[in-house]
C-alpha cells in the first residue's frame, strides 16, 4: 500500500519488516514471516514479498546475538570498534598490539556472551552450553570478519558465524618478531672451495625447505577454506533443519486444532442426527394423532348432523300435533 507521496505506508517497508522478524524469537519467526509476505503479496509488492519470504529463520544462537546487538547498543558499538582495531593490527602485523588487543578480545567476548545469555534468559529462552559456545564463536567472527561485523551490526544474524582460523590469538604466536640476520661464518682462506660447496648445498637445502613450507602453507590455506565452506554449509543445514522443525511443529499444531474442530463438529452432527430422529418419530406420532382426530371429527360431525336431523323431525312432528289439536 502506497501513500499519496509514493512512500510505503508505516509497517510496509521491507527493511522494517526484516528488522521486526529478526527481533522475534525463532519459534515466532516463520508464522510472522509468512504473514508479512502474504500481506505484501496482497498489496501487489511481489519483490518485497520475495525478500521477506527468503528471510531465513535464525538459530537460537543467531537470535541471541541479534538480541545482544539491539539491547546493548553502546557495548555493541565499542565491540565493533575493537574488531576494527584488531583487524588493523593484524593487517600491519604489530605483535605488541596484537597481544594486547587479543587479551582484550577474550575478556570482552566472554563478557558479551554472558550478557547475551542473561538477555535470552530474561526473554524466556535460556541458552544451553552448546548454544552459548555458538554465540561466542559468532562474536569472535564479528571481531575478525568485516562481513560478519556488518551482519551483526544490522541485527540479522541467521546462524553461527565462524571467524577465519588464521585470525586471533593464533596470529599473535605467528606474528614475526624482529631478528638480526645471522652473521656469515668465518672460514679459513684455504677452505674457500669447500665453503662455496657447503654454501651451495645449504642454499639448495634452504630452497627445498622453503618450497616445502610454501606447499604446506598452500595446503593449510586450502584446508582452511574447505573447513570454512563446510562450516558454512553445516550452518545452513542446521538453520534449514531448525526451520523445517519449526514448520513441522506449526503444521502439527494446526492439524491438532483442526482435529479438535472436526471432533466438535462431528459431536454436533451426532446430536443433530439424534434430534432429527426424535423429531421424525414425533412427527409420525403427531401425524397418527392428526389422522385419528380427523376420523373422530368426521364421525362426530356425522353424528351431530344425524342428531340435528332427528331433532328437526321431532320438532316438526310436535308442531304438527299441536296444530291438529288446535283445529279440533
Amino acid at each position: 500500500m502506497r501513500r499519496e507521496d509514493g512512500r510505503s505506508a508505516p509497517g510496509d517497508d521491507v527493511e522494517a519488516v526484516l528488522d521486526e522478524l529478526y527481533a522475534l524469537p525463532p519459534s515466532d519467526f516463520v508464522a510472522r514471516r509468512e504473514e508479512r509476505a502474504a500481506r505484501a503479496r496482497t498489496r501487489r509488492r511481489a519483490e518485497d514479498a520475495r525478500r521477506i519470504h527468503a528471510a531465513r529463520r535464525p538459530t537460537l544462537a543467531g537470535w541471541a546475538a541479534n538480541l545482544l546487538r539491539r539491547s546493548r547498543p553502546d557495548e555493541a558499538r565499542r565491540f565493533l570498534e575493537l574488531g576494527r582495531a584488531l583487524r588493523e593490527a593484524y593487517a600491519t602485523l604489530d605483535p605488541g598490539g596484537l597481544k594486547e588487543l587479543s587479551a582484550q578480545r577474550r575478556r570482552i567476548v566472554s563478557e558479551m556472551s554472558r550478557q547475551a545469555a542473561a538477555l535470552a534468559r530474561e526473554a524466556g529462552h535460556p541458552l544451553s552450553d552448546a548454544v552459548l559456545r555458538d554465540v561466542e564463536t559468532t562474536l569472535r567472527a564479528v571481531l575478525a570478519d568485516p562481513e560478519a561485523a556488518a551482519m551483526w551490526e544490522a541485527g540479522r544474524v541467521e546462524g553461527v558465524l565462524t571467524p577465519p582460523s588464521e585470525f586471533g590469538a593464533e596470529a599473535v604466536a605467528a606474528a614475526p618478531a624482529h631478528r638480526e640476520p645471522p652473521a656469515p661464518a668465518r672460514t679459513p682462506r684455504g677452505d674457500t672451495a669447500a665453503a662455496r660447496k657447503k654454501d651451495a648445498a645449504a642454499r639448495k637445502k634452504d630452497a627445498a625447505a622453503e618450497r616445502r613450507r610454501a606447499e604446506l602453507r598452500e595446503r593449510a590455506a586450502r584446508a582452511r577454506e574447505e573447513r570454512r565452506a563446510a562450516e558454512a554449509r553445516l550452518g545452513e543445514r542446521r538453520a534449514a533443519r531448525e526451520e523445517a522443525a519449526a514448520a513441522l511443529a506449526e503444521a502439527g499444531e494446526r492439524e491438532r486444532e483442526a482435529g479438535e474442530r472436526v471432533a466438535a463438529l462431528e459431536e454436533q452432527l451426532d446430536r443433530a442426527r439424534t434430534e432429527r430422529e426424535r423429531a421424525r418419530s414425533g412427527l409420525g406420532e403427531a401425524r397418527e394423532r392428526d389422522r385419528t382426530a380427523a376420523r373422530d371429527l368426521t364421525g362426530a360431525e356425522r353424528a351431530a348432523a344425524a342428531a340435528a336431523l332427528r331433532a328437526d323431525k321431532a320438532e316438526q312432528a310436535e308442531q304438527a300435533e299441536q296444530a291438529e289439536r288446535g283445529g279440533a
Side-chain angles (χ1 to χ4, degrees), residues 160-172:
V160 182
L161 303 179
T162 306
S165 59
E166 69 272 11
F167 187 94
E170 298 83 356
V172 177

Side-chain angles (χ1 to χ4, degrees), residues 40-277:
R41 283 192 293 270
T42 58
R43 297 184 176 184
R44 298 182 179 179
R45 294 187 291 112
E47 179 60 23
D48 288 353
R50 185 195 64 77
R51 286 190 60 195
I52 293 169
H53 186 72
R56 285 171 39 188
R57 175 180 178 269
T59 62
L60 190 57
W63 167 76
N66 294 332
L67 178 64
L68 176 66
R69 169 68 183 93
R70 289 185 171 87
S71 302
R72 297 288 187 270
D74 293 337
E75 289 89 338
R77 177 180 51 79
R78 288 192 291 270
F79 191 74
L80 291 167
E81 290 174 355
L82 173 63
R84 284 189 286 270
L86 266 173
R87 293 192 295 273
E88 182 179 353
Y90 177 69
T92 58
L93 293 177
D94 177 4
L98 275 173
K99 289 180 181 179
E100 181 179 352
L101 288 173
S102 295
Q104 186 178 358
R105 180 205 68 173
R106 287 190 293 272
R107 290 194 302 271
I108 292 181
V109 165
S110 178
E111 175 58 29
M112 295 285 278
S113 300
R114 284 195 294 270
Q115 289 187 30
L119 290 168
R121 187 167 52 252
E122 291 172 4
H125 298 276
L127 307 182
S128 66
D129 292 341
V131 174
L132 187 57
R133 285 194 295 272
D134 287 343
V135 173
E136 293 174 350
T137 301
T138 296
L139 292 175
R140 288 197 298 272
V142 170
L143 293 177
D145 185 358
E147 293 184 4
M151 186 180 299
W152 185 65
E153 187 173 13
R156 297 180 188 175
V157 175
E158 297 174 348
V160 182
L161 303 179
T162 306
S165 59
E166 69 272 11
F167 187 94
E170 298 83 356
V172 177
H178 178 72
R179 294 185 177 90
E180 292 293 336
R186 298 175 63 88
T187 58
R189 291 183 180 179
D191 294 339
T192 303
R196 283 199 300 268
K197 185 177 180 181
K198 183 177 180 180
D199 289 344
R203 285 193 298 271
K204 184 177 181 180
K205 183 179 180 180
D206 290 344
E210 181 58 33
R211 285 194 300 272
R212 176 61 178 168
R213 285 194 293 271
E215 291 174 359
L216 291 174
R217 285 195 296 270
E218 183 178 355
R219 188 181 304 170
R222 285 197 303 269
R224 287 193 296 270
E225 184 61 31
E226 290 172 358
R227 184 178 71 176
R228 282 196 293 269
E231 288 173 345
R233 288 193 297 271
L234 177 60
E236 291 174 358
R237 299 299 182 270
R238 283 176 175 169
R241 175 65 180 82
E242 290 183 2
E243 184 169 345
L248 176 61
E250 184 179 353
E253 180 64 19
R254 289 199 301 269
E255 192 275 338
R256 184 189 63 80
E257 293 175 353
E260 291 177 353
R261 290 195 298 272
V262 168
L265 291 172
E266 287 177 344
E267 184 178 353
Q268 292 178 11
L269 179 60
D270 288 341
R271 288 198 299 268
R273 284 173 173 167
T274 301
E275 291 173 1
R276 185 179 66 175
E277 291 301 322

